[in-house]
Amino acid sequence: MRVLVTGGAGFIGSHLVERLLGEGHAVRVLDDFSTGRRENLASAKPGAALEVVTGDIRDARAVASAVAGVEAIFHEAALVSVPRSVESPEISCDINAHGTARVFDAARRAGIRRLVFASSAAVYGETARGPVSEREPVRPLSPYGVDKLYTEHLAALYHALYGVETVPLRYFNVFGPRQDPSSAYSGVISIFVSRLLAGDPITIHGDGKQTRDFVYVADVVEANMRAMFSPYPGPSPLNVARGDHTTLNALATMLGEILGVTPQIIGGPARAGDIRHSVADITAIRSALGYEPKWTVASGLKALVTSLRPV
Ligand code: NAD
Ligand code: UD1
């Protein structure tokens, strides 16, 4: 199949590209390299069916030409930081809502069969402590969450009005190799691992009792492949997670054990827009796609550490 991966030079996108190429698909990447990096695609062998186009999903012309000739789309491009969206809601809206609308419309015009895209657990907002299913009410706490929710509604509309199959995947907290640790907006595991490896202290925002459902990137790639190649046409969203929770304090302890260090922890203020508890019910994706997470948090952390510090 010929597929487009927006955000394909980013963390999750590049793992998806690698898997698609490995299974013999022809892949075009559209990325503006705002956080993505060419090195993330370096494992593509010379002569691999990979084409990389530099462009912005907010640019309708760039999107239309990236969509030309492909049969299906994985849409990963976004401004991914929740706190960054709180600081700059207009930029989040521009990229995450309007940019995604451009991608959907290009898909409609080009007669794309199926579009699988990255939504987020951020759509739920504050939930009770237990696992959250897709039927739970959605009350996002951040501009990022609102923008992702908008894209889910738009996807349902494109499905109903124009017959584009749209599958929203609500990723929980994804981690693994190539997640960029370099900014204060980066994912917590990438920050913690890089700081601990450098012998630096880590900051825990709030009391550290907040929970996240950390899922290893290979499981997220598997969910995407199933979402694209199974009969499930959407548009109901599906949680992508492990289905169990880890507190930030427990994460710091686990990483200390894996790295053989005692983490020095600095207490920081709780972040605005931060969700307290986040854990998924994954019954729906199990039954729709036969998805089963293969990686535990510990095995994923060990693989991540090995990739950064080969033994
Ligand atoms: P990432 O920042 O590594 O990847 C995003 C990619 O999109 C980058 O390559 C970036 O250069 C590109 N991009 C950003 N704005 C763009 C634009 N305007 N035009 C073209 N390309 C653009 O982040 P990631 O963690 O790989 O996230 C991938 C997707 O998964 C995003 O949609 C994100 O919202 C979603 N998501 C991620 C997580 C997580 O825990 N990492 C959880 C839930 C949802
Ligand atoms: C993450 C994703 C977001 C996704 C959401 C889904 C990133 C950057 N963000 O948001 O795209 O939609 O999951 O659930 O990938 N923290 C610290 N110290 C730090 C950094 C973070 O204590 O140095 C805390 C935060 O306050 C938060 C938790 O760790 O409570 C997770 O933060 P973060 O990794 O930024 O992810 P989310 O905000 O959950």
Side-chain angles (χ1 to χ4, degrees):
M1 208 150 131
R2 296 180 63 80
V3 300
L4 170 68
V5 182
T6 73
F11 160 47
I12 300 169
S14 66
H15 285 276
L16 185 55
V17 168
E18 206 168 274
R19 170 87 184 259
L20 286 161
L21 290 172
E23 296 196 6
H25 301 286
V27 181
R28 183 179 293 150
V29 164
L30 175 67
D31 202 298
D32 72 351
F33 293 93
S34 49
T35 57
R37 295 169 4 146
R38 283 194 187 267
E39 306 87 273
N40 287 345
L41 297 168
S43 71
K45 304 209 171 33
L50 172 66
E51 184 190 352
V52 181
V53 178
T54 303
D56 194 313
I57 55 165
R58 291 168 289 182
D59 174 351
R61 262 204 232 164
V63 176
S65 84
V67 166
V70 306
E71 294 152 77
I73 301 174
F74 292 96
H75 173 48
E76 303 296 318
L79 175 116
V80 310
S81 163
V82 172
R84 186 122 195 256
S85 82
V86 172
E87 282 161 27
S88 306
E90 75 292 357
I91 301 179
S92 174
C93 181
D94 213 23
I95 299 173
N96 296 340
H98 297 154
T100 295
R102 295 264 144 74
V103 175
F104 287 4
D105 209 55
R108 170 180 77 88
R109 288 170 190 274
I112 294 296
R113 181 181 70 82
R114 186 173 293 185
L115 194 151
V116 174
F117 70 100
S119 181
S120 166
V123 301
Y124 291 116
E126 215 47 81
T127 58
R129 219 192 154 96
V132 57
S133 89
E134 295 81 350
R135 292 187 305 279
E136 205 77 20
V138 281
R139 297 189 201 89
L141 296 181
S142 60
Y144 171 91
V146 168
D147 296 330
K148 289 287 185 181
L149 185 56
Y150 163 79
T151 65
E152 290 188 2
H153 286 294
L154 196 64
L157 211 62
Y158 270 64
H159 190 104
L161 289 180
Y162 310 119
V164 186
E165 295 178 354
T166 47
V167 186
L169 297 179
R170 288 180 178 168
Y171 305 164
F172 281 62
N173 288 59
V174 189
F175 73 101
R178 298 191 206 131
Q179 191 169 27
D180 179 10
S182 64
S183 113
Y185 300 118
S186 300
V188 65
I189 289 182
S190 68
I191 295 176
F192 280 11
V193 171
S194 79
R195 294 192 69 82
L196 292 173
L197 280 173
D200 293 331
I202 55 174
T203 301
I204 292 190
H205 294 290
D207 62 7
K209 291 181 183 160
Q210 66 266 47
T211 56
R212 291 293 185 273
D213 193 335
F214 293 108
V215 56
Y216 191 61
V217 66
D219 282 333
V220 176
V221 168
E222 179 64 29
N224 271 277
M225 297 299 283
R226 285 170 183 260
M228 182 59 81
F229 298 107
S230 76
Y232 180 74
S236 295
L238 298 171
N239 288 342
V240 180
R242 279 193 38 73
D244 63 31
H245 69 271
T246 306
T247 66
L248 266 272
N249 291 331
L251 173 69
T253 306
M254 210 186 299
L255 270 173
E257 283 165 11
I258 290 169
L259 292 166
V261 299
T262 305
Q264 281 175 267
I265 296 173
I266 300 172
R271 281 176 167 177
D274 213 33
I275 291 169
R276 180 97 181 131
H277 292 301
S278 182
V279 57
D281 177 335
I282 57 170
T283 310
I285 190 168
R286 275 191 171 117
S287 108
L289 304 182
Y291 161 89
E292 199 58 54
K294 299 268 188 314
W295 293 77
T296 62
V297 178
S299 64
L301 289 177
K302 282 178 195 152
L304 170 60
V305 167
T306 305
S307 77
L308 295 169
R309 191 181 68 176
V311 277

